[in-house]
Amino acid sequence: MYRLGIDLGSSYTKGVLVDENNRMAAFHCVKTGYNFNKAAEKIISHFAESYEIVYPAYTCGYGREEIKVPFVSNSELIALAKAVYEIYQTSCSIIDIGGQDTKFIQVNALGQVDKFKMNRKCAAGTGSFLEEIAFRLDVTPEEFTEFAKEATQEVKINSYCTVFAISEIIGMIKTGATLANIIIGIYNSIILRSVELSLVEDHLVITGGLPAMHPTIVGLFKERYPDSDSPEHAQFLAAYGCVLLNNHNYQQGGVNESS
Amino acid sequence: MSEKGTQDKTELVRLKSTGELRITMDAYFTRLKKAAETRNRKIAWCTSVGPAELLYSMGFEVYFPENHGAMLGAGKNADKYIPTAVAHGYSPDICSYLTSDIGAFLQNETPLQKSGFSSVPRPDILVYNTNQCREVEDWFNFYARHFNVPVVGIHTPLNIKDLNPEIIKSVEDQYHRIIPELEKVAEHKFDMDRFRETVGLSHDGCVLWKQVLQKAKHIPSPINFFDSAIHMGPIVVMRGTQHAVDYYKILLAELEERIKNNISAVPAERFRIYWEGMPLWYKLSSMAKLFAKLDTCIVASTYCNSWVFDDLDSANPFESSALAYSKLFIVRSDTVKEKVLEQLLHEFSVQGIIYHDSKTCARNSNNRFGLQNRLFKQTGIPYLEINGDLNDPRCYSEEQSIIAIETFIEQLEAKM
């Protein structure tokens, strides 16, 4: 019997199965598309082939209340903080870079959220910023990582706005900047937008879809914040946290009926 | 956390006085309409924290474009009008009251048409006070040029830390200086006794409004920010008249009755929040429901407290007007604002603060110079910043803000 956590994000829907010892046992990620429930169904049918799932599902993200199976919804920020604390067992600062949101969360030594902040209504600093630029440059995320290895120096991207950033990049290409150096500039631009959310006070944990798909950015964070890392399955931690937050509803063998 | 099928908590408890509020506001607009149609009385346009008492005392009907701006926002029509003003050279980054109001005017539309007005009431004179922002001067100048009528103003220093006698004297002198122009338009002389009487009524209305707001100190609170943002209408547009005084006596009595009968604005109040910044007029109702669902009452706000001019004194009408209108929150330095906020947080037993960073209203967005961090250090009261705008819904991401607000309440809950 496995409990299911689903993070229905703006770009991707992430599902995780959690075993009776509160460990992540299986992972699956699909593009969210236009229908949250359909995305969740894909996750569920994928897991159902090999695992027995106990309901309700535990959800978070923009589509957290848009699924048709029984569910308990949660704040993705509280869920993420819970999962990170479960792993690190200490106070920490979290930067989560997702498709549409970048979040800063400060978790205290008791595992509670002391403060949090989300990006302004703007794509800069989020996965969408990078996706749009990748689309315009006709480069895949995997190629981004490969190209980045060849970078010799950083090119500075100044524009806040995605459209202006693309114009700026085209100008750089015209003046001879290499794609590898530009990619490092794009990554650093995202880092700068995320670290301005708040002061990093503790060990920095980098999570979300973007660092999972672009591991180079984790290294660039480390250059600025030596005391930082990105845990395994960084993209699935909010979904995992949803399950952990609801441990009180669960006893071994099923849902606690009295809760 | 929410479970599917959770009991609907969004059924809001409506204040009975709302019916009387409607009658009071309708009567105000009827007087304005009559003046606009018959020209039986002169019409002055005034800024919301401008010298309304002086204008009422001189027999003007007084119209407030900011009130009209809020109506456009609450009617969810601002984004229909803003692009027209932008096309006429007004930036989308300046006050969206201004851009929606001017845009609507250029499109010859107003919500007042539903009440039988053909247009906004034509002004005979426009009178502003820059105590809140510089935009009001440019806003009024647009209409002064259009209607070819005089515009006069009081220029109050900004970011006042020490409200010294020189500042008050300067503002008082400017009050005196605009009187000859007002007399010319009104076609009669200024009457000191009438002014004293109007200032006295304004004082009484403000004191009653303050008492209304202070009822929210009670736990649970009988009134929340979303009620106050609607019921503040009379203190904004009828300050200095008996109408406002009469209305707030009724509202105050209802709140006292609610406290006696243990009726709260949010049925299951568990969290008490302070709202810093402008309302999001186009989301007033959905936000009220969201907070009710979260068992959260917004018990106090800078915005609603901004119409408490209890320093007004009929014995000393000019000097006390200068004092009252230069003492208000928006025109003060952050040092003063921090002290005011700290006091209010304490008085209203507040557990958290929400700062609304309003894209087009810099002066009502008090989280831009580090105040939020300093206040957190002083009080330990957690805060949340949300990005939006008073009128322009294009500056607001509802989904993101709902997640942030729900998370904030869960953050508070975890520490209870």
Side-chain angles (χ1 to χ4, degrees):
Chain A
M1 300 282 273
Y2 292 86
R3 287 163 291 161
L4 170 64
I6 310 182
D7 175 3
L8 296 112
S10 59
S11 300
Y12 290 91
T13 295
K14 288 81 67 180
V16 62
L17 288 182
V18 178
D19 68 17
E20 292 181 353
N21 297 314
N22 282 335
R23 286 187 300 239
M24 290 186 274
F27 311 87
H28 192 53
C29 175
V30 297
K31 272 207 156 189
T32 298
Y34 61 90
N35 187 321
F36 285 113
N37 186 54
K38 270 191 181 163
E41 278 176 355
K42 282 183 199 166
I43 300 271
I44 290 167
S45 60
H46 172 84
F47 284 143
E49 285 175 13
S50 319
Y51 300 91
E52 191 179 344
I53 301 167
V54 59
Y55 289 96
Y58 301 102
T59 65
C60 68
Y62 283 103
R64 63 197 178 282
E65 297 194 345
E66 304 298 320
I67 67 170
K68 299 230 163 78
V69 297
F71 68 89
V72 175
S73 72
N74 306 268
S75 154
E76 67 211 57
L77 290 103
I78 302 281
L80 179 59
K82 179 79 178 172
V84 169
Y85 187 75
E86 175 79 11
I87 296 166
Y88 291 84
Q89 296 289 318
T90 181
S91 63
C92 48
S93 303
I94 304 170
I95 287 178
D96 182 87
I97 308 177
Q100 216 171 77
D101 298 319
T102 297
K103 310 172 189 88
F104 173 90
I105 309 170
Q106 181 62 42
V107 181
N108 69 22
L110 301 171
Q112 297 167 327
V113 172
D114 262 354
K115 66 176 172 183
F116 69 92
K117 200 167 175 188
M118 296 165 86
N119 61 302
R120 286 157 181 264
K121 190 190 165 194
C122 171
T126 72
S128 298
F129 175 72
L130 204 137
E131 272 187 10
E132 178 63 21
I133 289 172
F135 174 75
R136 294 300 181 97
L137 298 178
D138 198 20
V139 179
T140 65
E142 294 74 26
E143 287 171 331
F144 253 69
T145 305
E146 283 308 305
F147 275 122
K149 288 176 188 163
E150 296 161 18
T152 52
Q153 64 178 77
E154 180 196 351
V155 169
K156 214 170 162 192
I157 314 284
N158 293 308
S159 308
Y160 267 115
C161 163
T162 307
V163 174
F164 287 175
I166 290 165
S167 309
E168 196 181 345
I169 289 165
I170 289 166
M172 288 168 178
I173 291 169
K174 279 166 64 181
T175 54
T178 67
L179 185 57
N181 290 346
I182 290 173
I183 285 171
I184 296 295
I186 293 166
Y187 283 150
N188 276 319
S189 161
I190 291 173
I191 291 173
L192 282 177
R193 293 288 86 75
S194 64
V195 300
E196 71 183 10
L197 287 173
S198 187
L199 284 175
V200 174
E201 295 172 8
D202 276 300
H203 176 76
L204 175 63
V205 180
I206 304 141
T207 64
L210 195 130
M213 293 166 85
H214 296 266
T216 310
I217 210 165
V218 178
L220 292 171
F221 264 111
K222 212 164 177 61
E223 285 176 17
R224 285 167 193 271
Y225 300 98
D227 188 16
S228 70
D229 71 346
S230 181
E232 260 194 296
H233 314 301
Q235 198 176 357
F236 294 92
L237 293 184
Y240 177 42
C242 287
V243 177
L244 298 178
L245 278 174
N246 291 279
N247 261 344
H248 60 280
N249 275 346
Y250 182 77
Q251 292 178 335
Q252 283 204 340
V255 173
N256 178 359
E257 294 296 332
S258 64
S259 65
Chain B
M1 272 177 247
S2 71
E3 285 181 57
K4 208 176 186 179
T6 302
Q7 188 192 349
D8 181 18
K9 294 179 177 177
T10 59
E11 194 72 32
L12 300 170
V13 190
R14 195 164 170 263
L15 283 159
K16 288 182 207 147
S17 306
T18 306
E20 195 60 41
L21 172 72
R22 193 162 295 148
I23 292 168
T24 305
M25 294 301 287
D26 282 352
Y28 161 76
F29 283 113
T30 301
R31 291 192 294 275
L32 258 180
K33 184 165 162 271
K34 189 177 174 196
E37 286 170 359
T38 66
R39 309 312 290 184
N40 67 328
R41 294 173 80 129
K42 300 285 184 180
I43 296 173
W45 288 19
C46 185
T47 48
S48 64
V49 282
E53 297 82 3
L54 197 53
L55 301 173
Y56 275 124
S57 82
M58 295 183 73
F60 288 98
E61 289 297 351
V62 188
Y63 168 80
F64 296 83
E66 283 153 88
N67 175 245
H68 189 250
M71 286 165 76
L72 293 168
K76 306 181 200 293
N77 280 322
D79 54 336
K80 178 180 162 191
Y81 302 126
I82 291 169
T84 303
V86 173
H88 279 76
Y90 290 88
S91 164
D93 294 332
I94 63 166
C95 172
S96 59
Y97 272 172
L98 181 161
T99 49
S100 50
D101 180 72
I102 289 180
F105 182 77
L106 291 167
Q107 290 179 226
N108 195 27
E109 288 183 21
T110 166
L112 297 176
Q113 283 160 342
K114 285 183 196 150
S115 308
F117 284 76
S118 58
S119 173
V120 291
R122 187 185 193 283
D124 295 293
I125 189 166
L126 301 110
V127 186
Y128 62 83
N129 187 335
T130 61
N131 47 5
Q132 51 191 319
C133 61
R134 65 151 281 179
E135 264 103 329
V136 292
E137 184 177 355
D138 293 277
W139 187 355
F140 278 32
N141 279 332
F142 168 85
Y143 287 107
R145 283 191 295 272
H146 179 88
F147 290 111
N148 194 25
V149 294
V151 55
V152 291
I154 291 164
H155 295 86
T156 305
L158 300 178
N159 284 9
I160 300 170
K161 187 178 174 199
D162 301 312
L163 191 51
N164 57 46
E166 288 75 24
I167 292 174
I168 294 168
K169 178 77 172 49
S170 153
V171 174
E172 186 182 346
D173 286 348
Q174 294 183 65
Y175 260 74
H176 286 289
R177 226 173 285 151
I178 64 174
I179 287 177
E181 192 67 45
L182 293 174
E183 287 178 327
K184 206 158 47 174
V185 174
E187 296 171 349
H188 61 77
K189 285 282 174 196
F190 165 77
D191 179 336
M192 186 60 171
D193 289 337
R194 185 78 190 99
F195 186 43
R196 282 186 199 281
E197 190 189 331
T198 312
V199 166
L201 282 169
S202 189
H203 169 268
D204 294 350
C206 288
V207 168
L208 282 161
W209 175 237
K210 184 177 182 178
Q211 288 172 345
V212 161
L213 295 175
Q214 294 205 334
K215 288 296 166 202
K217 287 181 184 174
H218 187 267
I219 302 174
S221 170
I223 186 166
N224 71 24
F225 170 60
F226 304 103
D227 300 318
S228 306
I230 299 297
H231 288 262
M232 67 193 288
I235 202 64
V236 177
V237 302
M238 283 172 265
R239 205 167 60 251
T241 72
Q242 188 65 42
H243 308 294
V245 173
D246 292 345
Y247 176 67
Y248 289 117
K249 281 181 184 165
I250 293 167
L251 179 58
L252 187 61
E254 182 181 356
L255 297 180
E256 281 165 354
E257 191 67 16
R258 273 191 168 194
I259 289 173
K260 207 167 80 185
N261 297 323
N262 204 28
I263 297 171
S264 53
V266 170
E269 177 189 303
R270 293 174 61 218
F271 304 100
R272 297 168 63 83
I273 299 288
Y274 186 91
W275 185 272
E276 212 315 299
M278 295 292 289
L280 294 96
W281 286 110
Y282 44 95
K283 287 290 167 195
L284 222 46
S285 161
S286 59
M287 276 216 163
K289 287 177 183 168
L290 171 66
F291 282 103
K293 189 176 115 184
L294 297 169
D295 300 334
T296 300
C297 184
I298 298 187
V299 291
S301 67
T302 304
Y303 185 66
C304 292
N305 266 293
S306 292
W307 277 268
V308 175
F309 300 107
D310 52 354
D311 286 301
L312 289 171
D313 179 3
S314 59
N316 210 354
F318 281 107
E319 191 185 347
S320 70
S321 292
L323 168 66
Y325 286 104
S326 305
K327 193 179 177 183
L328 81 165
F329 189 89
I330 194 169
V331 76
R332 308 307 299 276
S333 71
D334 269 18
T335 312
V336 176
K337 287 177 178 175
E338 278 166 47
K339 283 186 189 145
V340 171
L341 289 172
E342 199 174 342
Q343 180 71 22
L344 286 169
L345 297 176
H346 174 70
E347 284 178 9
F348 285 84
S349 313
V350 165
Q351 295 154 285
I353 311 167
I354 295 179
Y355 292 89
H356 170 206
D357 190 318
S358 186
K359 174 87 163 63
T360 72
C361 189
R363 299 197 59 77
N364 268 315
S365 300
N366 286 302
N367 60 333
R368 294 187 181 181
F369 294 91
L371 178 148
Q372 71 279 35
N373 289 329
R374 294 191 296 273
L375 201 57
F376 176 67
K377 275 190 189 145
Q378 282 158 27
T379 65
I381 296 175
Y383 68 87
L384 168 70
E385 296 167 79
I386 60 168
N387 294 103
D389 189 57
L390 62 162
N391 257 23
D392 192 341
R394 299 168 302 177
C395 303
Y396 178 61
S397 168
E398 184 166 35
E399 270 304 313
Q400 193 194 60
S401 301
I402 288 174
I403 287 174
I405 289 165
E406 287 180 352
T407 302
F408 186 54
I409 301 303
E410 283 194 37
Q411 177 189 339
L412 298 181
E413 187 167 29
K415 293 189 176 179
M416 277 180 93

